[in-house]
């Protein structure tokens, strides 16, 4: 089977690590997979990728197009006649009523399957026919470790609690001391 992944390429990694890990795991299972990353932002930025995306679909000849995030999926919908699977990744389920209506329209008319990652995402987007399939974890890479040695390895003080805030690298952090050695990192 040949699959083309379509997703945004507007971040420091090109393909987001979640999308890349998913694609690489499919390759390990024998799926012939290629990536198309959308360059540019906003509606015009995404639609500007249509000629290149059509060309990639024509040259790669996938059996299936799997788009990650709604804007990538809408763009791919204009570019291809292949069956489409769409993964709504989180932020595109907590959106305006107008965007939910657009996603629902494409989901019913163009997309063969819609995937969300959790029950709350399904409830937010309101597509009762969407399937809940959480992202997997690479158990050969991510495994439970002993807590004290793990804290030492990353430089945490083992005697004080730590708060870790995960966010995009563009987020501006301020460090506010809590206790003697712990820090709270938060946005703004």
């Amino acid at each position: 089977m040949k699959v083309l992944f379509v997703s945004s390429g507007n971040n420091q990694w090109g393909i987001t690590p979640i999308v890349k890990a998913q694609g690489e795991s499919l390759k390990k299972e024998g799926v012939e997979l290629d990536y198309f990353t959308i360059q540019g932002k906003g509606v015009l930025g995404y639609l500007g990728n249509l000629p290149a995306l059509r060309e990639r679909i024509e040259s790669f000849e996938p059996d299936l197009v799997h788009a990650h995030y709604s804007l990538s999926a809408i763009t791919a919908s204009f570019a291809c006649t292949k069956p489409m699977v769409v993964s709504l990744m989180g932020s595109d389920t907590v959106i305006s009523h107008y965007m939910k209506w657009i996603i629902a329209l494409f989901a019913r008319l163009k997309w063969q399957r819609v995937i969300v990652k959790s029950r709350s995402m399904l409830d937010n987007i309101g597509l009762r026919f969407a399937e809940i399939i959480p992202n997997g974890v690479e158990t050969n890479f991510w495994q439970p470790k002993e807590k004290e040695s793990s804290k030492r390895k990353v430089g945490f003080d083992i005697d004080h609690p730590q708060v870790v805030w995960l966010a995009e690298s563009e987020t501006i952090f301020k460090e506010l001391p809590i206790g003697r050695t712990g820090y709270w990192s938060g946005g703004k």
Side-chain angles (χ1 to χ4, degrees):
M1 172 175 256
K2 292 175 76 170
V3 177
L4 179 66
F5 269 20
V6 177
S7 66
S8 172
N10 294 314
N11 61 55
Q12 66 185 4
W13 308 285
I15 301 167
T16 61
I18 291 171
V19 173
K20 182 76 170 181
Q22 193 177 88
E24 296 307 303
S25 69
L26 288 173
K27 284 181 178 181
K28 288 179 186 175
E29 296 299 318
V31 173
E32 187 177 342
L33 190 129
D34 197 7
Y35 300 92
F36 180 87
T37 55
I38 293 176
Q39 303 300 314
K41 295 185 178 185
V43 173
L44 293 178
Y46 272 69
L47 293 179
N49 287 267
L50 284 173
L53 180 52
R54 283 185 185 120
E55 185 177 301
R56 178 67 64 84
I57 291 169
E58 189 175 305
S59 65
F60 184 60
E61 299 178 341
D63 300 305
L64 174 75
V65 172
H66 186 159
H68 296 79
Y69 295 97
S70 57
L71 289 179
S72 298
I74 290 168
T75 303
S77 297
F78 290 119
C80 86
T81 59
K82 302 290 183 177
M84 285 186 62
V85 171
V86 175
S87 286
L88 301 176
M89 304 293 284
S91 59
D92 46 5
T93 66
V94 186
I95 51 176
S96 71
H97 180 72
Y98 175 72
M99 271 306 291
K100 286 181 184 181
W101 183 84
I102 291 172
I103 290 170
L105 181 67
F106 276 91
R108 292 211 183 269
L109 298 178
K110 188 70 175 162
W111 306 337
Q112 280 64 42
R113 293 282 187 270
V114 177
I115 297 169
V116 295
K117 307 304 175 178
S118 69
R119 168 60 64 185
S120 64
M121 289 174 62
L122 180 65
D123 292 342
N124 282 337
I125 198 66
L127 299 175
R128 296 295 164 223
F129 53 86
E131 298 177 47
I132 300 170
I133 304 175
N135 285 334
V137 175
E138 177 55 67
T139 56
N140 292 327
F141 182 78
W142 297 103
Q143 298 175 0
K145 304 283 185 197
E146 195 277 318
K147 193 183 290 187
E148 192 171 303
S149 65
S150 296
K151 282 183 173 184
R152 281 194 177 103
K153 186 173 184 174
V154 296
F156 286 171
D157 182 333
I158 63 169
D159 296 324
H160 294 90
Q162 306 291 314
V163 176
V164 179
W165 179 273
L166 301 176
E168 291 188 32
S169 61
E170 293 82 23
T171 303
I172 298 172
F173 292 100
K174 291 181 184 176
E175 292 184 345
L176 303 172
I178 57 169
R180 289 185 290 169
T181 58
Y183 289 93
W184 168 264
S185 295
K188 293 189 176 182

